Amino acid sequence: NHILLGGDGENHWVDLILDRYPFRLVNLVDSTPRSIINAVPKAGEPRAYAVVGSDEVREEYALISMIPGVAANQELLIICGLKSPATPLATEYQTTEAGRVQLLKLLREAAPKHTGAWNFQTVVKVDVRDKVPTSATIVALRVL
């Protein structure tokens, strides 16, 4: 099993790995900021998630993808924040009891008859105050 932390700026092949999944990272060429693209938005979901706000108070986003690994019976966990504070808080969110409980609840609601390992993508909104991440909330989820 493998865990990748950081975005496509640090790991250029992350874009290739995520290319076939519903949520992807993108650096737009028209000088707009890095975003998480929602290839097939559900009702009420935006087509993209980008950093909103100033350095003092802003919303950032992280993409968490738990997908099949390259080798059989292995998983690949990719955690990519749009800016630096989002990645560690999304990682922490995945490792806290409250975060795991919320994620598992949402996964079971999305796919109640699911059995076996969970493969999913989730977009996590991270609130940042004075460059310090303060809270994380799942805002979009896909069971793969």
Side-chain angles (χ1 to χ4, degrees), residues 24-70:
R24 304 172 197 139
L25 295 167
V26 71
N27 289 314
L28 300 176
V29 294
D30 62 1
S31 72
T32 55
R34 277 180 81 221
S35 301
I36 297 169
I37 298 298
N38 188 349
V40 186
K42 293 182 178 179
E45 288 181 345
R47 293 198 57 79
Y49 300 88
V51 175
V52 177
S54 67
D55 279 344
E56 290 77 32
V57 178
R58 67 181 181 268
E59 291 178 359
E60 295 188 14
Y61 293 90
L63 174 59
I64 300 172
S65 302
M66 175 62 88
I67 57 177
V70 176

Side-chain angles (χ1 to χ4, degrees), residues 12-113:
H12 298 287
W13 42 273
V14 167
D15 292 335
L16 296 172
I17 293 171
L18 297 179
D19 188 51
R20 64 186 178 122
Y21 292 102
F23 297 113
R24 304 172 197 139
L25 295 167
V26 71
N27 289 314
L28 300 176
V29 294
D30 62 1
S31 72
T32 55
R34 277 180 81 221
S35 301
I36 297 169
I37 298 298
N38 188 349
V40 186
K42 293 182 178 179
E45 288 181 345
R47 293 198 57 79
Y49 300 88
V51 175
V52 177
S54 67
D55 279 344
E56 290 77 32
V57 178
R58 67 181 181 268
E59 291 178 359
E60 295 188 14
Y61 293 90
L63 174 59
I64 300 172
S65 302
M66 175 62 88
I67 57 177
V70 176
N73 298 323
Q74 291 194 355
E75 300 295 319
L76 178 60
L77 176 63
I78 303 173
I79 303 175
C80 305
L82 293 179
K83 288 200 168 189
S84 296
T87 300
L89 191 59
T91 304
E92 181 181 326
Y93 180 83
Q94 288 288 104
T95 59
T96 64
E97 183 68 20
R100 287 192 310 270
V101 167
Q102 182 192 28
L103 176 60
L104 190 54
K105 177 181 179 281
L106 292 172
L107 288 169
R108 287 180 175 153
E109 287 172 1
K113 296 180 192 264

